[in-house]
Amino acid sequence: MTLLATGVDLCDMRRIARTMERFGDRFLERVFTPYERSKAERRTGDARIGTYAKRWAAKEACAKALGTGFAHGVTQSQIGVENLSSGQPVLVLTGAAALRLAQLVPAGYEPELMLSMTDEPPYAFAQVFISARAG
């Protein structure tokens, strides 16, 4: 396996909460996938905010690892965080984010995205590794 890129992000949960209060569903629908919103909305209070904030940090970390940030057509909603049945978070890329990932991976290799997230109020943190393994 070959490490191609890494990205990290630290997010202040209070900033996410203020943005949600100010822009409501417009913000949530622009940034988060239906899966992410469904997961967060099953929670209340700090757990709800933490779920959104960790995913915000994961999107930022992934965009950094892709080398684009949120430019060149890459948007927050194209970077989704889902969970395996074990609970492990995984990244699901679509659109320009998926295209950029494909550009990073050498011919004959398959991409592998690794994500770790945590929160300790008032902060949420995410780290992303992009690797390639021979296909």
Side-chain angles (χ1 to χ4, degrees):
M1 186 171 322
T2 303
L3 179 64
L4 301 175
T6 185
V8 299
D9 190 69
L10 180 66
C11 172
D12 189 326
M13 295 167 61
R14 297 166 294 194
R15 184 171 62 101
I16 298 299
R18 285 191 304 269
T19 303
M20 289 170 58
E21 288 172 16
R22 183 171 178 199
F23 297 105
D25 287 342
R26 192 174 78 185
F27 166 70
L28 297 177
E29 290 171 6
R30 183 177 57 85
V31 172
F32 298 99
T33 67
Y35 177 95
E36 292 169 319
R37 292 191 310 270
S38 173
K39 184 165 187 70
E41 293 303 321
R42 290 192 300 262
R43 298 188 165 124
T44 59
D46 285 344
R48 177 175 171 258
I49 300 301
T51 300
Y52 280 122
K54 285 186 285 190
R55 280 147 184 81
W56 174 273
K59 292 167 186 288
E60 292 277 348
C62 184
K64 291 171 185 175
L66 290 172
T68 59
F70 294 111
H72 307 286
V74 175
T75 65
Q76 289 99 339
S77 63
Q78 295 172 353
I79 301 170
V81 177
E82 297 187 5
N83 294 86
L84 301 178
S85 59
S86 65
Q88 176 185 346
V90 294
L91 289 163
V92 178
L93 305 186
T94 60
L99 291 173
R100 175 61 182 152
L101 176 63
Q103 292 171 347
L104 290 174
V105 179
Y109 283 75
E110 296 292 324
E112 185 168 308
L113 297 166
M114 292 168 275
L115 168 63
S116 182
M117 303 183 299
T118 191
D119 65 335
E120 180 64 38
Y123 300 106
F125 176 82
Q127 184 169 28
V128 172
F129 291 97
I130 300 175
S131 300
R133 56 182 156 70

